[in-house]
């Protein structure tokens, strides 16, 4: 099975340089996917209203309301919807309804050649980290770690403002934590990659696990006790995932115990690593949940407590290759 997946990935994903999505414009259409778990209907409708208030149209298939236990429908159906959204010439960006669990299951079913031919912005976080990573490390298509439809409706003003600013403001983004915590001091440059720690950990041993060499790694999580965070980091360390990291930025670790305990764990795991580690970013499962581009170059400076992006998330063209 592993060899079959490796052959599949080799045939479907062969990076040929960075490709970038077009910047969404007011009036453009957002396609909505449910690649993981079912979602709350009221939260979904509230999120649609936020997107429409920002000036975007929305499009989704009725199949996103399917349910199969803890999944938003069968794997084949969810993957088919994913591929169809990227093939649709009228859709500029694709945003997920929610996370939960299930994105990992559809990775082998995604048509990466189709995605490469029709590059679009993919938005999500949590379990969707699996798909974001596939886009970024597989075909060199940057993605956006940010709120999803079911969380947008109940999100804070800060989250909505950051979401709007990331999509519509042409300035290069930068993020400075309100309460930064320097775990290891220093500076680093590299492409940002990562997201949900547990999801990344589950990619180990699969052909979809990215090479983190030279990257700044973003990590966040929810509902994991400190010893579980420790266990996942140790597993990734023993698997060699951290061997040539450039740096680490930590988002929120909601309901994961005392933050000081977590910072001590990171300091212990990376005690001998000469890389900067900065915590306190409002990114992840807590509020606010600020948008962070993945797959583009950034600089991390613990002295100024700043993560600054040095290239645009978007291509220069207004419309993408599909339309």
């Amino acid at each position: 099975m592993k060899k079959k997946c490796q052959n599949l990935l080799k045939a479907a994903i062969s990076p040929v340089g960075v490709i970038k999505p077009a910047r969404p414009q007011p009036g453009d259409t957002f396609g909505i996917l449910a690649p993981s778990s079912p979602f709350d209907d009221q939260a979904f409708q509230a999120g649609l209203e936020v997107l429409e208030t920002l000036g975007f149209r929305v499009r989704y298939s009725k199949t996103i309301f399917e349910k199969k236990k803890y999944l938003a429908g069968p794997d084949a159906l969810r993957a088919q919807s994913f591929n169809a959204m990227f093939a649709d010439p009228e859709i500029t960006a694709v945003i997920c309804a929610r996370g939960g669990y299930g994105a990992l299951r559809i990775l082998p079913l995604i048509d990466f050649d189709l995605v490469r031919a029709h590059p679009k912005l993919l938005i999500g976080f949590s379990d969707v980290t699996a798909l974001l990573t596939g886009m970024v490390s597989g075909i060199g298509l940057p993605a956006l770690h940010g709120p999803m439809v079911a969380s947008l409706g109940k999100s804070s003003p800060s989250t909505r403002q950051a979401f709007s600013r990331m999509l519509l403001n042409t300035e290069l983004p930068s993020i400075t934590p309100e309460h930064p915590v320097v775990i290891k001091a220093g500076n680093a440059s590299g492409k940002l990659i990562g997201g949900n720690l547990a999801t990344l950990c589950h990619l180990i041993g699969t052909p979809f696990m990215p090479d983190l060499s030279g990257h700044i790694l973003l990590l966040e999580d929810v509902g994991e006790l400190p010893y579980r965070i420790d266990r996942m980091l140790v597993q990734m360390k023993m698997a060699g995932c951290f061997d040539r990291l450039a740096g680490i930025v930590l988002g929120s670790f909601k309901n994961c115990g005392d933050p000081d305990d977590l910072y001590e764990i990171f300091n212990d795991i990376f005690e001998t690593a000469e890389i900067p580690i900065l915590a306190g970013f409002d990114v992840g499962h807590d509020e606010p949940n600020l948008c962070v581009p993945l797959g583009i170059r950034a600089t991390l400076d613990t002295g100024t407590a700043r993560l600054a992006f040095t290239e645009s998330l978007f291509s220069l063209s207004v419309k993408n290759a599909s339309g």
Side-chain angles (χ1 to χ4, degrees):
M1 179 64 180
K2 182 177 180 181
K3 185 175 181 180
K4 180 180 178 182
C5 284
Q6 289 173 331
N7 291 337
L8 170 71
L9 194 63
K10 196 174 292 183
I13 307 181
S14 52
V16 289
V18 175
I19 52 177
K20 291 188 176 183
R23 182 186 298 278
Q25 303 292 314
D28 284 352
T29 299
F30 272 58
I32 301 175
L33 291 172
S36 303
S37 294
F39 50 84
D40 179 81
D41 288 351
Q42 288 186 338
F44 180 76
Q45 292 300 323
L48 293 184
E49 292 179 8
V50 173
L51 290 173
E52 291 168 346
T53 299
L54 293 175
F56 300 115
R57 297 186 176 95
V58 296
R59 177 177 297 178
Y60 54 89
S61 167
K62 291 183 179 179
T63 60
I64 67 171
F65 299 103
E66 293 279 339
K67 294 180 181 180
K68 183 181 179 183
K69 295 184 179 179
Y70 41 79
L71 301 171
D75 294 345
L77 183 63
R78 301 194 324 280
Q80 181 183 15
S81 296
F82 186 100
N83 293 331
M85 284 292 179
F86 275 86
D88 190 330
E90 297 185 9
I91 291 175
T92 302
V94 178
I95 184 170
C96 298
R98 69 157 291 197
Y101 170 71
L104 187 71
R105 295 174 61 103
I106 69 171
L107 269 175
L109 305 177
I110 290 174
D111 187 340
F112 286 97
D113 283 334
L114 181 151
V115 175
R116 186 193 294 111
H118 305 276
K120 298 175 182 180
L121 181 65
L122 177 65
I123 307 170
F125 75 106
S126 190
D127 183 63
V128 179
T129 293
L131 301 177
L132 301 176
T133 301
M135 301 297 104
V136 170
S137 67
I139 58 176
L141 176 62
L144 188 60
H145 187 284
M148 297 179 279
V149 179
S151 63
L152 264 178
K154 58 183 179 181
S155 62
S156 66
S158 296
T159 295
R160 298 186 191 189
Q161 291 167 7
F163 184 80
S164 174
R165 188 166 57 249
M166 183 65 67
L167 296 177
L168 303 176
N169 193 327
T170 58
E171 295 179 3
L172 294 180
S174 65
I175 304 176
T176 301
E178 186 174 351
H179 303 290
V181 177
V182 177
I183 298 176
K184 292 179 70 71
N187 302 287
S189 295
K191 290 185 178 181
L192 188 70
I193 195 170
N196 182 253
L197 171 60
T199 302
L200 284 172
C201 199
H202 290 316
L203 291 175
I204 294 176
T206 76
F208 299 96
M209 182 64 195
D211 181 358
L212 303 179
S213 301
H215 288 76
I216 299 173
L217 178 62
L218 166 68
L219 294 175
E220 65 83 35
D221 220 315
V222 62
E224 299 286 357
L225 295 175
Y227 81 88
R228 294 175 184 169
I229 300 292
D230 185 306
R231 181 168 60 195
M232 288 186 280
L233 292 174
V234 168
Q235 182 181 358
M236 294 184 74
K237 182 177 182 179
M238 290 195 298
C241 300
F242 303 142
D243 285 353
R244 290 173 293 279
L245 271 184
I248 298 175
V249 293
L250 301 182
S252 61
F253 282 79
K254 185 178 181 180
N255 298 330
C256 291
D258 188 332
D260 288 338
D261 290 342
L262 297 181
Y263 301 152
E264 185 177 345
I265 289 171
F266 275 92
N267 187 61
D268 177 59
I269 298 296
F270 295 95
E271 182 179 10
T272 60
E274 297 181 358
I275 59 172
I277 303 177
L278 183 62
F281 287 89
D282 291 325
V283 175
H285 286 79
D286 214 341
E287 280 291 336
N289 178 14
L290 306 184
C291 292
V292 179
L294 300 176
I296 62 173
R297 293 192 64 82
T299 60
L300 172 64
D301 184 345
T302 63
T304 59
R306 187 166 178 253
L307 178 68
F309 294 88
T310 56
E311 64 173 307
S312 176
L313 170 62
F314 301 104
S315 67
L316 295 178
S317 62
V318 175
K319 291 295 181 182
N320 59 40
S322 64

